[in-house]
Amino acid sequence: MTKNEQAALCIERLKAEYPKTVCTLDYDHAWQLLVEVRLAAQCTDARVNVVVQELFAKYPGVNELAAADPADIEAIVRPCGLGHSKARDISACMRKLRDEFGSKVPEDFDALLSLPGVGRKSANLIMGDVFGQPAIVTDTHCIRLCNRIGLVDNVKEPAKVEKALWKLIPPEESNDFCHRLVDHGRAVCTARTKPYCDKCCLADICRARKEFAE
């Protein structure tokens, strides 16, 4: 089986298993998702969703958050970990949105990458979830599962995994495919426990199944 054939089966089966996949960060506006994806680094989406309620209530827009003292932002987001650096990046990002983009999140990948604290993963998430464009979000679930399944061969660098997946995943499937990898990584192909290969819809095409069966 080629990697393209394997990828096609993964898409088909994960789509059947998780038909209504969505981003698990709660947001109403694009700028809020920018804030949340920065806070989600080394933090669970569930905790981020709780923490931002206070943040967005106090600062309900880009301009308000851009004008906030980073120390005040840090006091709110500290439960997400790395509070100082995250608050600094959020403040700088919102100020750049205000000053250079008219307080609007740009619908351009390179422009998104120019924002403080925004890397390829975050930019892809915004392009896919907000603007409905093809996107490959190489988060920890994506990287772990793609290596286990065999879609990539011992590749851990996010940018290299992303590049490999662009060759395997049709653009129209890319965004939802990555969300479904998150769903599957949380429910079945877990990181902190032995994967539940006995109930995995990909078990017969997964390279790592034999390893975990031993």
Side-chain angles (χ1 to χ4, degrees), residues 54-83:
E54 180 182 353
L55 185 69
F56 296 157
K58 187 172 183 178
Y59 307 109
V62 170
N63 293 340
E64 291 85 353
L65 197 50
D69 187 322
D72 293 334
I73 298 174
E74 181 180 352
I76 297 173
V77 305
R78 188 175 292 116
C80 293
L82 305 174

Side-chain angles (χ1 to χ4, degrees), residues 12-86:
E12 177 186 345
R13 294 182 185 182
L14 290 174
K15 188 182 293 187
E17 195 78 8
Y18 311 99
K20 296 182 178 181
T21 191
V22 293
C23 177
T24 52
L25 291 168
D26 298 332
Y27 66 97
D28 295 315
H29 306 284
W31 68 270
Q32 293 176 333
L33 184 56
L34 266 181
V35 170
E36 291 171 356
V37 73
R38 180 66 186 94
L39 292 176
Q42 300 182 42
C43 180
T44 65
D45 289 359
R47 176 170 291 184
V48 171
N49 287 336
V50 172
V51 169
V52 295
Q53 292 180 31
E54 180 182 353
L55 185 69
F56 296 157
K58 187 172 183 178
Y59 307 109
V62 170
N63 293 340
E64 291 85 353
L65 197 50
D69 187 322
D72 293 334
I73 298 174
E74 181 180 352
I76 297 173
V77 305
R78 188 175 292 116
C80 293
L82 305 174
H84 184 72
S85 61
K86 289 180 180 181

Side-chain angles (χ1 to χ4, degrees), residues 184-196:
H184 197 61
R186 288 173 174 160
V188 177
C189 197
T190 52
R192 297 185 180 182
T193 64
K194 188 176 180 180
Y196 301 103

Side-chain angles (χ1 to χ4, degrees), residues 144-183:
R144 183 177 76 254
L145 267 64
C146 286
N147 275 280
R148 284 181 176 177
I149 294 166
L151 295 178
V152 297
D153 300 313
N154 196 31
V155 181
K156 302 299 173 63
E157 297 90 339
K160 291 183 178 180
V161 174
E162 179 190 339
K163 183 178 180 180
L165 290 180
W166 278 122
K167 298 176 181 178
L168 300 175
I169 310 300
E172 66 275 13
E173 299 285 356
S174 57
N175 194 49
D176 283 346
F177 175 73
C178 292
H179 282 319
R180 291 185 174 108
L181 287 179
V182 174
D183 295 335

Side-chain angles (χ1 to χ4, degrees), residues 88-157:
R88 178 197 61 211
D89 287 345
I90 289 168
S91 176
C93 182
M94 294 300 110
R95 283 187 274 112
K96 186 160 185 171
L97 284 182
R98 178 194 63 191
D99 298 341
E100 299 184 24
F101 296 99
S103 298
K104 303 291 185 182
V105 175
E107 190 176 347
D108 177 83
F109 191 80
D110 290 332
L112 287 168
L113 287 179
S114 76
L115 298 171
V118 177
R120 295 190 65 86
K121 181 182 76 172
S122 301
N124 270 299
L125 184 64
I126 296 295
M127 292 301 293
D129 278 36
V130 174
F131 299 120
Q133 298 298 313
I136 297 287
V137 180
T138 50
D139 67 357
T140 55
H141 292 288
C142 175
I143 294 169
R144 183 177 76 254
L145 267 64
C146 286
N147 275 280
R148 284 181 176 177
I149 294 166
L151 295 178
V152 297
D153 300 313
N154 196 31
V155 181
K156 302 299 173 63
E157 297 90 339

